[in-house]
Amino acid sequence: MIRNLLLIDDDEDEINIFTEALHTAGIPANCRWVKNAISARNVSPMPDIIFLDINMPRLDGFECLADIKKCPTLFAVPVILYSTGMNNSMREKGLSSGAAGCIAKTYSIYDLSNTLKNLFCNFGLPFKN
């Protein structure tokens, strides 16, 4: 089954890294990219999972997560916080704010691919090996 994913990140290059890692992991997905939560409100089709960068200008990822959780069309979609600076306090804050999980950004396609495989297995979402 092909999943619809949404990446919210102010860095447009991140979508290329992310989609390459999905492909390397064998995860069948259509991945869309928007640069903020406001743009996410009108995404179609509805995403199965949202990946959200924490370090963004104007609205950071935590503020963006709060906005998503207030949006009637997106509040039930699992949100995974995705950041280079992921640490325990960010993880705790994210999970207590309604994130379904937290992963660290990596510049290694291989490492990100393995992280995504583990994440999809933990959510019980199929992918091909």
Side-chain angles (χ1 to χ4, degrees):
M1 171 181 218
I2 295 177
R3 298 291 172 185
N4 291 307
L5 308 181
L6 176 63
L7 175 62
I8 303 173
D9 196 310
D10 61 310
D11 183 359
E12 188 173 356
D13 291 335
E14 201 61 46
I15 189 64
N16 296 326
I17 296 166
F18 198 80
T19 54
E20 187 173 338
L22 288 167
H23 178 74
T24 300
I27 298 170
N30 293 321
C31 192
R32 296 193 42 133
W33 167 79
V34 296
K35 58 171 91 175
N36 56 48
I38 307 303
S39 300
R41 292 178 185 168
N42 300 317
V43 168
S44 180
M46 181 66 64
D48 297 306
I49 300 177
I50 296 171
F51 290 86
L52 174 60
D53 183 25
I54 292 175
N55 300 312
M56 295 189 294
R58 294 171 52 189
L59 281 180
D60 70 20
F62 297 111
E63 294 165 315
C64 196
L65 176 61
D67 191 59
I68 289 168
K69 293 303 176 185
K70 292 178 196 169
C71 181
T73 57
L74 295 175
F75 78 92
V77 176
V79 176
I80 307 298
L81 294 178
Y82 177 60
S83 182
T84 51
M86 188 61 68
N87 59 40
N88 285 338
S89 65
M90 287 176 145
R91 211 173 251 108
E92 288 174 19
K93 182 176 180 180
L95 294 173
S96 68
S97 298
C102 303
I103 60 174
K105 281 185 183 182
T106 175
Y107 294 103
S108 162
I109 298 299
Y110 178 78
D111 290 344
L112 181 55
S113 171
N114 285 334
T115 298
L116 291 171
K117 278 183 188 179
N118 289 334
L119 179 76
F120 273 65
C121 285
N122 290 342
F123 274 98
L125 301 172
F127 63 91
K128 60 184 180 186
N129 286 325

